[in-house]
């Protein structure tokens, strides 16, 4: 059982890292592309926007995000995945500081500390899976 | 207008993510990560009606988010949409029957407060 839970934990960490990185960079590219195109009036504008390079990159990453998140949810609880993957907000704030020289105010630092404490509580204190799951034969 | 778009977005996100979690749980744990096996798993999963419902709701949420970005700033949209964390944790407990113990509630609450502060 301990070997099984260790296996699940490692697998969860690897998959959660992929989920977080694809989410953070997907949102960043999307935001970058969308701020270049500020006028959306009808459905056709949405479709045209999707073909802008930054937006397209963002969409591809967000697709990878969805797929890796689905894989993660095939074994991990939603109430585990939600708080743990929110470490992405911390990453966004830190990336903004490093790449874009954005200032991190004391309020945002407080938020970063709270998120990290929450992630530590959930990921360190509770197992990824609390309900019985069927195992799909390989 | 922005409140309507925001309400649509949060409701769609919550519904979509809970349906997706429900569908993936029904599918069972993915253990084989070779590309061919992942492709087969994907082919099974896309026919799961919970997953289809989840994707539909998330599509609505995605386009609402794009619209929202043209109406307002991320520093408004993101903290308010942290309300989905509350709704989803409650649904995870009562609909998905996950064992949300004290540590998990405490962690979720810390994260929610933190998300609001970080994105203000």
């Amino acid at each position: 059982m301990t070997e099984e839970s260790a296996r699940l934990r490692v697998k969860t960490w690897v998959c959660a890292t992929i989920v977080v990185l694809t989410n953070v960079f997907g949102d960043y590219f999307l935001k970058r592309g969308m701020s270049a195109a500020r006028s959306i009036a009808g459905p056709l504008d949405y479709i045209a926007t999707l073909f802008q390079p930054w937006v397209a990159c963002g969409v591809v990453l967000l697709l990878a995000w969805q797929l890796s998140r689905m894989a993660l949810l095939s074994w991990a609880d939603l109430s585990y995945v939600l708080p743990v993957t929110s470490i992405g907000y911390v990453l966004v704030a830190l990336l903004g500081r490093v790449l874009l020289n954005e200032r991190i105010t004391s309020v945002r630092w407080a938020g970063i500390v709270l998120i990290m404490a929450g992630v530590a509580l959930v990921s360190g204190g509770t197992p990824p899976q609390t309900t019985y799951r069927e195992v799909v034969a390989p | 207008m922005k409140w309507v778009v925001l309400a649509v977005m949060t409701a769609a996100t919550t519904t979509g993510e809970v349906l997706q979690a429900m569908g993936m749980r029904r599918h069972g744990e993915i253990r084989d990560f070779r590309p061919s096996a992942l492709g087969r798993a994907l082919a099974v999963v896309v026919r799961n009606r919970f997953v289809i419902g989840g994707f539909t709701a998330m599509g609505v949420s995605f386009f609402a988010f794009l619209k929202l970005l043209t109406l307002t700033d991320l520093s408004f949209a993101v903290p308010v949409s942290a309300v989905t964390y509350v709704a989803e944790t409650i649904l995870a407990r009562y609909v998905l029957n996950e064992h949300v113990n004290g540590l998990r509630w405490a962690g979720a609450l810390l994260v929610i407060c933190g998300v609001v502060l970080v994105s203000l």
Side-chain angles (χ1 to χ4, degrees), chain A residues 8-78:
Chain A
L8 259 188
R9 191 153 287 220
V10 170
K11 186 176 169 181
T12 303
W13 276 90
V14 172
C15 194
T17 306
I18 297 172
V19 171
V20 168
L21 291 180
T22 50
N23 186 13
V24 167
F25 286 100
D27 271 350
Y28 171 73
F29 288 151
L30 199 63
K31 166 90 177 124
R32 205 179 155 140
M34 287 307 288
S35 48
R38 270 260 159 197
S39 61
I40 286 186
L44 280 178
D45 292 337
Y46 278 120
I47 294 164
T49 309
L50 288 179
F51 288 98
Q52 291 191 347
W54 284 113
V55 177
C57 270
V59 169
V60 168
L61 279 175
L62 288 177
L63 201 64
W65 166 57
Q66 276 302 318
L67 293 176
S68 55
R69 198 166 184 279
M70 281 165 70
L72 183 57
L73 284 169
S74 79
W75 68 82
D77 286 357
L78 181 62

